[in-house]
Amino acid sequence: MIKAKNINKSFGELEVLRDVSFDVQQGEVISIIGPSGSGKSTLLRSLIGLEEINSGELFIEGISVKKSGKKAYEKMGMVFQGFNLFPHKTVMGNLIEAPIVVKGEKKEEAKKRAEELLNKVGLTDKKDSYPAQLSGGQKQRVAIARALAMEPDIMLFDEPTSSLDPELVGEVLTVIRGLADENITMMIVTHEMGFAKDVSDRVFFMDHGKIISDTVPEKIFVNPESERIQNFLTKILSQN
Ligand SMILES: Nc1ncnc2c1ncn2[C@@H]1O[C@H](COP(=O)(O)OP(=O)(O)O)[C@@H](O)[C@H]1O
Ligand SMILES: [Mg+2]
């Protein structure tokens, strides 16, 4: 589904991704954890083409991103920490914009799927609201529905609950868990360790631009293989 081979990415002198390689299979849920500045966001942004990599190769469903970037990126949706909704559009407007503009869908068709997606994320009654009228948790659920409206095969999440008040985290994680149950391939950068443990098939631990551990959640959370990971987990769990 996704294949990364020796990805390198620098910002000037700063090497942010260093020889990163991995495979993600159809339907897998991958959590990406690790300290701030370790390259987690840059990895996701590189996958979806928001950053240009310096070397290495990326394949999305067998398509080389280098050869046909746009086509590969269309298979992915991304949800960011900040909600990035169009502030001057209603919830419905946000959901139908890209399907109509990018995919050339008919408005009625786009609206029908938007209704289904709003039902899925529990926001049917908010379709005529503007982002400013929503809570953070509701905005993030709209952002997820908006990404899904493009019918991606892969969903990327970059700390989707980090800017939410604690009492709103659960409703967003519930929606993401629902997607995991539907076998949608996902890569999720998160600091929610309990969630990562439950929902993931595999966990990547990133440190200084490398994936230093790629293993099942039982292994990383119960019996971390290095002191570096152990220290990180102790620190982050003491904050929660
Ligand atoms: N556009 C950019 N220009 C320069 N440096 C950047 C840019 N984006 C990220 N960085 C740097 O790259 C490193 C990794 O950042 P990032 O991928 O955001 O880490 P993480 O998401 O794990 O916190 C950090 O040192 C960060 O300051
Ligand atoms: Mg980040």
Side-chain angles (χ1 to χ4, degrees):
M1 195 88 187
I2 308 178
K3 189 176 185 65
K5 267 172 78 178
N6 305 102
I7 303 296
N8 285 283
K9 170 69 186 172
S10 299
F11 292 109
E13 297 285 284
L14 183 69
E15 295 181 341
V16 176
L17 298 177
R18 299 186 297 148
D19 260 333
V20 172
S21 298
F22 59 86
D23 277 285
V24 178
Q25 309 301 321
Q26 158 79 41
E28 268 193 312
V29 178
I30 309 286
S31 289
I32 305 173
I33 66 173
S36 180
S38 56
K40 305 181 299 296
S41 294
T42 304
L43 178 61
L44 292 193
R45 292 171 59 81
S46 298
L47 288 180
I48 201 165
L50 293 171
E51 304 287 353
E52 205 177 321
I53 57 175
N54 298 105
S55 63
E57 268 198 287
L58 273 174
F59 298 89
I60 311 293
E61 291 187 1
I63 301 172
S64 163
V65 169
K66 211 183 307 183
K67 292 198 183 107
S68 62
K70 201 163 158 280
K71 212 166 142 214
Y73 302 140
E74 277 174 11
K75 296 183 181 297
M76 287 184 275
M78 185 155 172
V79 174
F80 301 86
Q81 182 176 340
F83 318 109
N84 302 55
L85 298 174
F86 305 122
H88 57 287
K89 286 188 188 291
T90 63
V91 166
M92 178 55 79
N94 269 275
L95 264 61
I96 63 176
E97 172 83 6
I100 291 174
V101 174
V102 180
K103 279 193 170 170
E105 269 182 28
K106 291 207 180 76
K107 194 169 180 182
E108 283 318 304
E109 212 178 308
K111 272 189 158 174
K112 186 159 168 275
R113 203 170 53 256
E115 304 262 7
E116 290 165 11
L117 289 168
L118 285 175
N119 185 37
K120 185 192 295 235
V121 301
L123 289 174
T124 302
D125 56 333
K126 297 292 183 191
K127 68 175 179 191
D128 297 321
S129 301
Y130 286 86
Q133 299 169 313
L134 304 177
S135 72
Q138 290 170 336
K139 279 189 247 191
Q140 199 58 310
R141 286 187 280 150
V142 173
I144 294 170
R146 188 178 59 173
L148 291 171
M150 290 296 280
E151 302 186 297
D153 296 329
I154 301 159
M155 284 284 283
L156 308 177
F157 293 87
D158 192 359
E159 300 196 30
T161 61
S162 290
S163 46
L164 298 179
D165 291 333
E167 74 271 22
L168 302 178
V169 168
E171 64 191 61
V172 172
L173 294 183
T174 299
V175 168
I176 301 175
R177 276 181 217 269
L179 301 180
D181 292 341
E182 286 177 38
N183 263 339
I184 296 183
T185 309
M186 297 195 277
M187 297 184 79
I188 310 167
V189 174
T190 184
H191 293 298
E192 297 289 335
M193 294 300 142
F195 168 74
K197 190 175 169 198
D198 288 351
V199 83
S200 315
D201 296 299
R202 276 189 292 149
V203 179
F204 294 174
F205 185 93
M206 284 192 76
D207 197 19
H208 291 106
K210 280 184 179 292
I211 296 174
I212 63 168
S213 176
D214 167 358
T215 185
V216 293
E218 297 75 33
K219 183 112 201 301
I220 203 157
F221 291 114
V222 180
N223 188 15
E225 54 204 277
S226 79
E227 206 173 324
R228 183 78 193 87
I229 299 174
Q230 214 159 11
N231 289 342
F232 172 80
L233 290 174
T234 308
K235 206 166 126 196
I236 202 153
L237 292 174
S238 70
Q239 287 165 356
N240 291 344

